[in-house]
Amino acid sequence: MDLGRGDLPELVEACRELDSLPQSLTDAQARGFLSEFPFERIFRALASAQGGSDVAFISDTLGRVLATESGSSILPNAIPYLEAASNAPLASLRLLAAEKYGTLLMDQERKYGSLNSKDRNGGVAELACLHLVRLMSDPEPTVAAAAAKSLRTYGSSSLTALQWLLSPGHAPSLALSAAAVSDALGGIVRLRALALALELAAGSTEGRPLENGYHHNAEAISASTSAAALSEAAVPYNERLQLLRSSGLLQPLLDQLADPADALACLAALQLLEGLLAGGGGVGMAATLAGIALPQLLALVSDPNLSDAALPLVAAILHRLLPEALPTADLAAALGGGGGGGNGAEANGVHATAATAGLQPILAAAPALLIAVRAVLDDRGNASAAAEACGLDALGTLGQSAVGAQLVLSDERLTRALCERALGRSPHPDVRMAALHAVASAAGLERAGAERSREAALLLPQCEEGLRLGMYGACGLRRPGEVLAGMLQQPFLELKLAAYRCIAALSLRSWFAVELVTTPDLYDRITDTTSESGAAACNWRHAAAAALWSTVSAAAAAAAAGDNDAAFIATLTAPTTVERIRAVVRAGPYGAEGGSTAAAAAASRMHGEHFVASRGAGGGA
């Protein structure tokens, strides 16, 4: 039965009737619609449509119909129509095809499995995969994204599905390999194919189990993982990694990372790898992939044309590969005894122990990154402000974990340069802000979570001492409290917030808490609920007061326990000091009763106010 242009309103009206029903259609409703409008009739009507709005509306309704069990059961018979839709000039039809090819693949996977699908279902799965790979080259980003999502969902459904997509010799794998070296859309298609391959290999599928019992997003392998758990977790990692390597899809990524001549493509590949780690799923495999690429990553941070943009990205990758913490003895061994020798990162030897053996490449790479940052922050001061800000962003990112912070602060020269730019000689606001944020990260503001004690922010004694000496040394004849009080009096909001963030982090330390309460201008500013007016500044002022209260409370507890030897206890536990700070914290950010009494609670509310700007292609901390 032909459906001419005059009959198109009838189809639109039927779609409107379905649109008025609840979002999830029943099988009976789907069967009724498809009996009146079979695929041939629907697509001939769509071909006669003149407006994109009608096509989009019909496509959306058809998508709901095909999402039912009855609708999906007839999808194999709709292959010619899906192919026509995938080649249609209207993006809404191509989007429908990309989504329904995915539905078809999952239905075929449930019925037949992947490896034998060509023999048992007439090659439907292979055909759908090939069309989806082709749609990843679509100039409309939503269509390409839907195609990649369909392939990712299918490839993550089982180990056999993953093998079907990545094993050499299979048509879908060959098509993906061709896309991974394509220059279409200025190289965007190449990045889409590489991103899909990496995500499949990383197994980022929200914890759904593989058919062989493995889980896609196994927990990251930490220093405390037992040998048995490590062995068990390594099996799926190894299988997926071997599939990725044999597919040939890993090499194009490494080639891009190793080609600094094409700076944009090189940085795009770097962002791709960093984004994979940022996604959170399949961290173990992501770490393995990043480990494979470490030589290329470290070459990037040393390249004068790329280092500005590469430093924050490589720091973000290393930050996500580092464990949150290491046993003190193992960390001290990894730091080579700390920075006491004055040679900083170059003196750090990485000694393999039971806890650090699996982390050796990462712990060896971090000092190399720090050497590159130190070259930017050298005493000559001849790097551009943008380059220095990128280097400081890298330190702030690395310092968000305790291990990363101690790697940073164990380097005496780097700590001195960091503190000088936060409180000393830098005349550039962007540099000073980045340095203040980096100090706050290294000082553990993120780590002192509401569920943990303030001790989570504290570092090895030599790192704490390096931070203290760096802060005082950067101020010359002035005190750190005086310098920071001056920053809070200037009119630039972002610099003021960076100063508050730094004060909040440093106030978790007894030595700075004493500095704060004995610097009248700073103490008055922090404890005056009317000193700020904007929401962000009020919240960060209160975060600093709450951090100070946590240190005062710890000092009071020490005094109650009979520890009266510490020089700071008398200053911090004076009754007037205790009562004043308690009252300010209770008053909340705006001077109202009922405010939080935990430093981390106040800080976490304002975590979005972390004003480290992005420079070049690099991200902030």
Side-chain angles (χ1 to χ4, degrees):
M1 174 180 175
D2 289 342
L3 182 66
R5 183 177 302 175
D7 295 319
L8 180 62
E10 185 178 346
L11 175 60
V12 172
E13 184 57 34
C15 289
R16 285 189 179 131
E17 291 180 9
L18 288 183
D19 189 54
S20 66
L21 298 174
Q23 185 64 27
S24 297
L25 300 178
T26 66
D27 284 341
Q29 291 164 340
R31 283 196 299 270
F33 178 84
L34 291 171
S35 65
E36 183 178 359
F37 297 99
F39 282 118
E40 181 180 1
R41 189 179 184 194
I42 291 172
F43 278 92
R44 291 181 65 182
L46 289 170
S48 71
Q50 298 297 308
S53 60
D54 282 345
V55 173
F57 178 55
I58 295 169
S59 297
D60 181 63
T61 304
L62 184 56
R64 292 176 61 202
V65 170
L66 296 178
T68 65
E69 185 174 346
S70 294
S72 63
S73 67
I74 65 171
L75 271 174
N77 300 323
I79 286 287
Y81 303 105
L82 289 179
E83 184 174 356
S86 72
N87 289 291
L90 291 173
S92 55
L93 279 178
R94 303 197 302 276
L95 178 62
L96 174 68
E99 292 172 343
K100 294 309 142 189
Y101 274 132
T103 304
L104 173 61
L105 279 173
M106 293 305 297
D107 185 62
Q108 296 297 296
E109 169 63 22
R110 284 190 292 271
K111 289 180 179 178
Y112 304 111
S114 301
L115 286 180
N116 299 322
S117 60
K118 187 171 183 179
D119 297 329
R120 297 174 62 183
N121 66 3
V124 169
E126 178 180 287
L127 188 62
C129 287
L130 290 174
H131 282 302
L132 285 171
V133 173
R134 176 176 57 80
L135 286 171
M136 284 176 60
S137 302
D138 199 282
E140 174 56 48
T142 56
V143 175
K149 180 180 179 181
S150 291
L151 286 170
R152 184 168 57 250
T153 302
Y154 173 60
S156 300
S157 63
S158 71
L159 183 59
T160 51
L162 183 65
Q163 291 169 332
W164 179 247
L165 285 174
L166 295 184
S167 291
H170 288 178
S173 178
L174 293 173
L176 270 176
S177 296
V181 295
S182 168
D183 289 327
L185 301 180
I188 291 176
V189 173
R190 178 168 67 247
L191 288 172
R192 289 172 180 169
L194 292 174
L196 175 63
L198 290 175
E199 289 166 352
L200 287 172
S204 52
T205 58
E206 299 176 354
R208 291 193 300 274
L210 293 161
E211 65 182 19
N212 59 3
Y214 299 138
H215 281 263
H216 295 280
N217 64 340
E219 294 296 323
I221 302 176
S222 69
S224 60
T225 304
S226 68
L230 183 63
S231 174
E232 181 180 354
V235 176
Y237 293 165
N238 290 342
E239 286 193 50
R240 294 199 299 270
L241 181 60
Q242 183 56 42
L243 277 173
L244 182 62
R245 281 176 156 162
S246 63
S247 72
L249 287 164
L250 181 57
Q251 195 56 46
L253 175 69
L254 298 178
D255 290 344
Q256 274 198 218
L257 287 171
D259 183 17
D262 188 350
L264 290 179
C266 187
L267 290 172
L270 181 58
Q271 287 178 310
L272 182 63
L273 186 58
E274 193 275 331
L276 176 68
L277 280 163
V283 178
M285 171 58 75
T288 301
L289 295 174
I292 292 171
L294 274 179
Q296 287 88 345
L297 299 182
L298 297 181
L300 290 179
V301 299
S302 300
D303 187 291
N305 296 319
L306 292 172
S307 61
D308 287 9
L311 280 172
L313 287 169
V314 174
I317 290 172
L318 292 180
H319 162 63
R320 292 189 174 96
L321 299 183
L322 288 170
E324 178 59 30
L326 280 175
T328 301
D330 294 299
L331 180 59
L335 296 177
N343 291 326
E346 293 167 333
N348 292 342
V350 180
H351 304 281
T353 68
T356 61
L359 295 165
Q360 268 191 287
I362 309 305
L363 290 173
L369 171 69
L370 298 181
I371 289 171
V373 175
R374 199 171 64 206
V376 174
L377 302 178
D378 63 14
D379 293 336
R380 295 188 300 273
N382 55 1
S384 69
E388 288 200 354
C390 285
L392 292 163
D393 283 353
L395 297 184
T397 298
L398 199 61
Q400 288 177 13
S401 73
V403 173
Q406 294 181 122
L407 287 168
V408 171
L409 296 177
S410 67
D411 185 325
E412 293 177 2
R413 288 167 54 191
L414 196 56
T415 301
R416 185 171 63 250
L418 169 61
C419 294
E420 283 178 351
R421 282 155 180 80
L423 301 186
R425 61 184 174 82
S426 177
H428 303 287
D430 282 352
V431 172
R432 177 158 285 185
M433 281 190 294
L436 288 166
H437 285 306
V439 169
S441 291
L445 190 62
E446 286 82 8
R447 299 191 298 277
E451 74 284 0
R452 289 171 286 180
S453 68
R454 61 183 278 274
E455 280 69 31
L458 304 181
L459 305 165
L460 290 177
Q462 63 265 36
C463 296
E464 287 289 340
E465 182 64 6
L467 177 62
R468 187 183 71 84
L469 293 176
M471 294 298 289
Y472 278 100
C475 297
L477 299 178
R478 303 177 69 193
R479 296 172 55 185
E482 294 171 343
V483 175
L484 287 164
M487 291 184 194
L488 296 180
Q489 293 168 6
Q490 52 75 49
F492 301 106
L493 177 62
E494 293 187 5
L495 182 56
K496 179 187 293 186
L497 297 182
Y500 270 127
R501 186 169 182 266
C502 183
I503 293 166
L506 292 175
S507 294
L508 297 169
R509 287 144 174 83
S510 299
W511 63 265
F512 187 82
V514 171
E515 173 70 21
L516 195 159
V517 301
T518 58
T519 305
D521 287 348
L522 183 60
Y523 189 36
D524 290 345
R525 186 93 181 192
I526 297 298
T527 57
D528 181 1
T529 57
T530 66
S531 64
E532 298 292 352
S533 57
C538 285
N539 275 282
W540 271 114
R541 180 204 58 78
H542 184 256
L548 178 62
W549 173 247
S550 71
T551 305
V552 168
S553 299
D563 182 7
N564 295 313
D565 295 333
F568 61 83
I569 287 182
T571 302
L572 296 181
T573 59
T576 54
T577 301
V578 172
E579 185 53 39
R580 180 174 178 178
I581 299 170
R582 180 194 286 120
V584 168
V585 172
R586 285 179 174 174
Y590 309 108
E593 287 292 331
S596 169
T597 61
S604 63
R605 288 197 306 271
M606 296 306 299
H607 189 65
E609 301 291 344
H610 185 164
F611 282 88
V612 175
S614 297
R615 252 80 51 177

